[in-house]
Amino acid sequence: MNIFDDQNMIISPSEGISLPLYKRTLWVLCALVILLSLSFVYSLKLGSVSVSWADVYAVMGFDVELNDATSTIYELRLPRIMGAIAAGALMALSGYLLQTAARNALADPGVLGLSDGAALSVIVLYVVFSQVSLTASILASFFGVFVTALLVLWFVHKNLSGTFIVLVGIAVGAVVSAFSDILLSSVTIEDMAFLMAFLSGSFLSLDLTSASFLSIWMTVIIAVFLLLSRYINPLNFGYQHAMSLGVDAKKYYIFIIILAVFAMAPVIALVGSIGFIGLIATFLAKNIIGYRGTELGIVSMLLGAIMTLWADTLGRTLFAPVMINAGVFIALIGALFFIIMTRYIVKQ
Amino acid sequence: MFQRISLPSSLSRSLSSVLPNYRFLGGVFLLTVMLLLVALTHISIGARPIVWADIFQAIFAFDNQQFVHHIVIKQRLPRLVVAMACGAMLGLAGFSAQKMFQNPLVSSSTLGVSSGAVFFSLCAIYFFNVSENDIFIPAFIGASVAGVFTLSMTEMMNRSSISKNLHIVLAGSLVSMLFSSLSSFLMQLDPLRFANVQDWLLGDISPADFTDLSRIYPLALLAIGVLLSQGRSLDVMIMGEKQARSAGVNVTRTRNITLLCIFLLASLVVSIVGPIGFIGLVVPHISKLFVSEVGNKGAWLSMLIGGLLLSFSDLLARIVIAPKVLIVGGVSASIGSIFFLCLLYFMVRDKHMS
């Protein structure tokens, strides 16, 4: 398909938003939205407590009389599922933005060690003051991501080759997780179990408040992303080209890194250290719709949401009564993906 | 510094043929003194402080009635000896690996060997109920599988690109990432069963004692001996494969034997104390301060430094938050990974490698 074929262009929603849609993209978007909605409904039904479709329907319509089945769905499953969708979308967007900033298909919060950094600062907070409010842990997560991001940026700013970025990210991640290990070995057994779950990323402890918070946060971040998209897209061509297209590249590089950090930090604070979603989702999205700026971001978000939702759902149903943390699933898939992607790493 | 002493040239020539390298001897002396100091401090510090005189008495004139002597011999000495032995094995493995690959970032942990050993051990525990005493066999299989995986991945990457030095480390990190995510997946399947290996997974010396060492020492000595005997061939291989071949070295055989011994040492360490990372990475760099990597002096010195480093990490783990004991794997990994990061940075900055 010729991507410069104007016949394929369908809509451009408004002046300020750079979102020219192509037919193929539109089909993919529709398919993914339908897939996401179906997964959402189906995962409400799946689980170790069996519920009927009628109960699911009742919860969907918010027509809730709390009997056993509906309260299972409403209190246990709905927050997890909402949280997984929002977290997946945010992490995928964060990965996409970092990849745009680094102009490297391997940049991702998990790969660059940002997730580990955020998790470490939240853990420190837990260990120091055993009781931590939601706001405090989100702030701590922001702090951790920023510090780690600065560290990684400082290390890689002179050499942006793929191999080096990935190695620095892995090394920073190793430093951070060594400190996490030290902290883990110094707390009591009960704290340790909780922190282990946190470190591997689990949607188990999400309640409705934090899940709604994540969803609202996701909406805000998407809005900001769409508003900034006309400045973000030229950056995909590199600094010089972006400058020649009239974008103040330096300023917007900083903007998108900050946006990426804002997208991921609350997720880590609430869910724990999950990574690799951005890596996998953006890679898949590129293969489905090609290199297309904003649409790529949106499609990656949808893919990330679907992936995380299924990672969580499979994790709680596949080996029931044992629960596998979503983060563990994702890390496993991510590592496999990474190995398959080495070809691309080396070429960059 | 030691070599700069100016002597009349004829005298200096005749002396240098008689006397060994000052720098090497100085290094050995310095490190031995440090090792002794660390060892004595390691034994004397603890819940019950023990004066040095008591330590010597316990070792040289053991008195069954004295409680202190029992603490020294039965509790603190085993831990120290295990730390030193494992450190020495990791140090030698790292030295040989860096010498063979001519790459300052390689070690048994950065090759992914340790995490492969861990995953296979966990599988053996989970699927075949292997007791913790026999864990060495699956660990060795895992180490070899992971190592071969890393090397073949490196080969594949090298084919498609010119810059090669970082590839082996990248491949190793990815393999290690894969195996550790597999391990955590496996552990989630049955958390209760793996509750008692939690510390071992991070690298913990405290449960190990002389019985563990007595189980592994024949193989460990064998591996160390073989590695030392390969020293000369490895020296020739530094010049490059072709030159080594024309000098009559069987490159493939030397490489395979060395790799096998590295895997063996790494898996032995994993089987008794768990995956203690980064010691093997740091040690060769310290040993290069005292002696060049050509010849077997570096190998001996690496064992000494490895023992020193791991017992020092263990000392730190025991005193940092005093009544509680940290896990030594975490301490050594945090020192070593910072070192790794700096090494990576300077390597790329100075040589503009990618």
Side-chain angles (χ1 to χ4, degrees):
Chain A
M1 194 178 97
N2 180 7
I3 58 163
F4 299 111
D5 186 1
D6 274 317
Q7 300 294 310
N8 284 320
M9 190 185 284
I10 297 177
I11 41 168
S12 187
S14 103
E15 275 297 285
I17 298 174
S18 161
L19 189 66
L21 279 174
Y22 295 86
K23 265 184 193 156
R24 176 165 184 172
T25 317
L26 198 67
W27 287 125
V28 171
L29 276 177
C30 291
L32 286 178
V33 169
I34 292 171
L35 187 59
L36 181 61
S37 336
L38 287 180
S39 315
F40 174 72
V41 178
Y42 191 55
S43 55
L44 279 176
K45 186 173 176 342
L46 277 182
S48 38
V49 177
S50 56
V51 295
S52 67
W53 283 112
D55 294 324
V56 174
Y57 182 75
V59 173
M60 296 283 296
F62 291 98
D63 173 24
V64 188
E65 301 160 26
L66 284 181
N67 57 29
D68 276 355
T70 48
S71 71
T72 304
I73 298 177
Y74 192 70
E75 281 161 17
L76 298 178
R77 289 184 198 163
L78 190 61
R80 280 187 85 141
I81 291 165
M82 275 167 64
I85 291 175
L90 283 170
M91 293 301 286
L93 181 63
S94 173
Y96 167 73
L97 290 172
L98 287 174
Q99 292 181 13
T100 309
R103 298 226 299 130
N104 188 316
L106 299 159
D108 167 89
V111 179
L112 294 182
L114 304 187
S115 301
D116 293 331
L120 175 66
S121 59
V122 178
I123 289 183
V124 169
L125 207 65
Y126 271 109
V127 172
V128 177
F129 310 98
S130 54
Q131 274 295 320
V132 180
S133 71
L134 201 62
T135 331
S137 65
I138 290 175
L139 287 178
S141 166
F142 267 113
F143 174 76
V145 182
F146 267 114
V147 172
T148 326
L150 283 180
L151 196 65
V152 174
L153 280 177
W154 183 76
F155 267 111
V156 302
H157 73 281
K158 273 183 197 152
N159 182 335
L160 280 171
S161 77
T163 317
F164 185 58
I165 291 186
V166 175
L167 274 178
V168 167
I170 290 171
V172 169
V175 174
V176 170
S177 46
F179 283 114
S180 308
D181 286 349
I182 293 184
L183 277 178
L184 271 184
S185 66
S186 65
V187 297
T188 58
I189 297 287
E190 297 86 42
D191 284 347
M192 188 164 165
F194 170 74
L195 290 179
M196 290 285 282
F198 182 80
L199 271 178
S200 57
S202 153
F203 292 93
L204 182 63
S205 54
L206 271 188
D207 54 10
L208 206 53
T209 333
S210 25
S212 338
F213 169 76
L214 270 187
S215 311
I216 295 167
W217 189 259
M218 177 184 71
T219 321
V220 173
I221 293 283
I222 292 178
V224 176
F225 169 63
L226 288 181
L227 287 175
L228 281 180
S229 59
R230 64 184 313 187
Y231 305 106
I232 294 175
N233 286 341
L235 297 182
N236 277 314
F237 302 121
Y239 186 79
Q240 301 272 331
H241 283 88
M243 289 295 267
S244 71
L245 285 169
V247 174
D248 184 358
K250 214 167 215 172
K251 192 167 93 186
Y252 285 101
Y253 271 127
I254 297 171
F255 261 158
I256 55 177
I257 290 175
I258 291 178
L259 187 60
V261 167
F262 267 71
M264 62 161 290
V267 178
I268 305 294
L270 294 173
V271 177
S273 174
I274 53 176
F276 295 115
I277 298 171
L279 182 83
I280 307 170
T282 316
F283 179 78
L284 287 179
K286 265 180 202 159
N287 280 320
I288 297 174
I289 64 160
Y291 288 80
R292 297 228 168 138
T294 316
E295 300 107 297
L296 195 58
I298 302 288
V299 171
S300 324
M301 286 177 87
L302 282 168
L303 283 171
I306 294 171
M307 225 168 60
T308 318
L309 175 58
W310 278 107
D312 184 46
T313 309
L314 290 180
R316 69 188 163 87
T317 52
L318 213 54
F319 300 97
V322 179
M323 277 199 195
I324 310 278
N325 289 342
V328 174
F329 249 118
I330 293 166
L332 186 55
I333 301 168
L336 281 174
F337 234 82
F338 219 149
I339 288 177
I340 296 167
M341 279 176 72
T342 41
R343 221 177 277 270
Y344 299 85
I345 306 179
V346 173
K347 274 183 190 155
Q348 279 173 357
Chain B
M1 195 179 143
F2 290 103
Q3 288 167 334
R4 293 263 170 88
I5 303 167
S6 60
L7 291 170
S9 63
S10 58
L11 181 60
S12 111
R13 211 174 302 136
S14 58
L15 265 184
S16 67
S17 59
V18 181
L19 291 179
N21 191 338
Y22 286 112
R23 186 181 272 231
F24 173 66
L25 278 188
V28 169
F29 178 71
L30 183 73
L31 292 168
T32 317
V33 170
M34 282 168 74
L35 186 65
L36 278 178
L37 279 179
V38 168
L40 285 174
T41 325
H42 189 282
I43 295 183
S44 68
I45 285 178
R48 169 100 160 69
I50 298 170
V51 290
W52 289 12
D54 278 340
I55 300 173
F56 287 116
Q57 238 173 38
I59 293 171
F60 295 114
F62 183 72
D63 181 359
N64 212 7
Q65 304 297 317
Q66 295 252 13
F67 181 58
V68 176
H69 290 190
H70 281 279
I71 299 181
V72 171
I73 299 293
K74 300 242 168 78
Q75 285 196 321
R76 300 207 181 153
L77 197 60
R79 188 178 171 133
L80 178 70
V81 171
V82 169
M84 283 183 181
C86 292
M89 286 155 75
L90 289 171
L92 181 62
F95 175 83
S96 308
Q98 295 197 1
K99 187 170 166 185
M100 187 171 82
F101 290 109
Q102 283 296 297
N103 184 336
L105 293 172
V106 166
S107 77
S108 56
S109 53
T110 47
L111 281 177
V113 169
S114 309
S115 28
V118 168
F119 175 64
F120 275 66
S121 314
L122 289 180
C123 279
I125 295 176
Y126 186 74
F127 293 112
F128 304 111
N129 276 322
V130 173
S131 82
E132 282 176 27
N133 290 341
D134 301 329
I135 220 148
F136 156 70
I137 299 159
F140 180 62
I141 298 172
S144 314
V145 168
V148 171
F149 191 6
T150 302
L151 291 178
S152 48
M153 228 169 101
T154 317
E155 204 122 286
M156 191 203 82
M157 283 152 99
N158 282 349
R159 229 179 286 144
S160 62
S161 171
I162 321 153
S163 55
K164 301 184 173 178
N165 237 320
L166 295 180
H167 288 173
I168 188 165
V169 191
L170 179 63
S173 313
L174 296 184
V175 168
S176 148
M177 213 182 251
L178 175 70
F179 280 116
S180 37
S181 57
L182 280 171
S183 298
S184 41
F185 185 79
L186 192 66
M187 285 185 39
Q188 292 241 313
L189 286 179
D190 197 350
L192 286 180
R193 184 130 168 222
F194 290 116
N196 55 346
V197 297
Q198 204 67 260
D199 284 354
W200 173 79
L201 272 180
L202 302 174
D204 188 15
I205 294 182
S206 42
D209 57 13
F210 288 137
T211 49
D212 295 303
L213 275 187
S214 69
R215 221 170 37 237
I216 66 156
Y217 84 94
L219 277 173
L221 287 181
L222 179 74
I224 292 173
V226 173
L227 274 183
L228 288 174
S229 74
Q230 296 297 317
R232 296 203 73 118
S233 315
L234 285 179
D235 287 343
V236 182
M237 276 167 65
I238 291 178
M239 298 188 302
E241 253 180 59
K242 272 185 191 159
Q243 280 85 340
R245 276 217 181 86
S246 66
V249 173
N250 188 340
V251 173
T252 325
R253 201 187 66 185
T254 311
R255 179 164 291 172
N256 289 344
I257 291 177
T258 312
L259 275 177
L260 209 64
C261 290
I262 293 169
F263 297 159
L264 189 59
L265 285 178
S267 53
L268 286 173
V269 172
V270 167
S271 73
I272 60 174
V273 295
I276 292 184
F278 292 108
I279 294 279
L281 178 83
V282 181
V283 165
H285 295 274
I286 303 179
S287 104
K288 273 181 210 156
L289 295 178
F290 299 107
V291 59
S292 89
E293 62 180 343
V294 179
N296 268 344
K297 280 178 189 166
W300 289 104
L301 207 58
S302 293
M303 287 197 266
L304 186 60
I305 299 168
L308 174 65
L309 266 188
L310 194 54
S311 46
F312 181 66
S313 310
D314 194 36
L315 180 64
L316 277 186
R318 289 180 56 205
I319 62 177
V320 171
I321 48 166
K324 280 184 185 167
V325 179
L326 292 176
I327 284 179
V328 68
V331 177
S332 76
S334 58
I335 302 171
S337 52
I338 292 173
F339 186 84
F340 177 68
L341 195 56
C342 297
L343 208 60
L344 200 61
Y345 179 71
F346 288 119
M347 224 174 107
V348 172
R349 196 193 64 177
D350 295 345
K351 295 186 187 167
H352 302 289
M353 284 190 292
S354 56

